[in-house]
Amino acid sequence: MGIWIPVAKRGDLEDGDVIEAVVGDHILAVYRLRDEYFVTDGICTHQLAHLADGLVVGRIIECPKHQGRFDVRSGAPKGAPASTALHTYPVRVEGEDICAKLDGVKRDS
């Protein structure tokens, strides 16, 4: 279940970039790795920092607050102090829109 919601435009991201997207009251992080896009929850599971303020190195996002690391493809924690995975979302590109399949997240009217 879930609905596909545009969260960014392809032109919003360069290779190795991360940006924040807000859908309703849900904060997401949108990543571009070469010609692939990924979407995770946008808040670090360790200390609630915004991951879009972090650094992407390869497939890893590093939290700006305490340098916890996560794999953007799976959400898996890859470095202390992060120990709880990020939620990830299926992604597809529709024209210029990067869309994520979001369960239980309502689109603003």
Side-chain angles (χ1 to χ4, degrees), residues 1-105:
M1 198 106 187
I3 58 173
W4 291 96
I5 296 177
V7 294
K9 298 282 188 188
R10 290 174 53 192
D12 293 343
L13 293 115
E14 295 183 18
D15 184 25
D17 210 358
V18 57
I19 62 172
E20 189 168 279
V22 179
V23 178
D25 61 356
H26 202 77
I27 298 171
L28 304 170
V30 183
Y31 311 86
R32 178 178 171 191
L33 304 180
R34 297 188 186 196
D35 290 324
E36 290 186 276
Y37 299 92
F38 300 91
V39 176
T40 68
D41 282 337
I43 302 296
C44 180
T45 58
H46 171 247
Q47 284 286 315
L48 307 179
H50 289 251
L51 292 173
D53 294 333
L55 176 66
V56 177
V57 178
R59 300 174 180 149
I60 303 297
I61 179 70
E62 183 177 273
C63 176
K65 194 166 187 178
H66 294 115
Q67 292 70 51
R69 296 180 303 280
F70 302 90
D71 186 316
V72 304
R73 300 164 305 157
S74 66
K78 294 295 182 179
S83 61
T84 302
L86 295 170
H87 187 82
T88 60
Y89 301 90
V91 175
R92 71 180 181 198
V93 176
E94 298 177 354
E96 289 301 308
D97 290 330
I98 302 165
C99 300
K101 190 172 186 180
L102 305 177
D103 293 324
V105 177

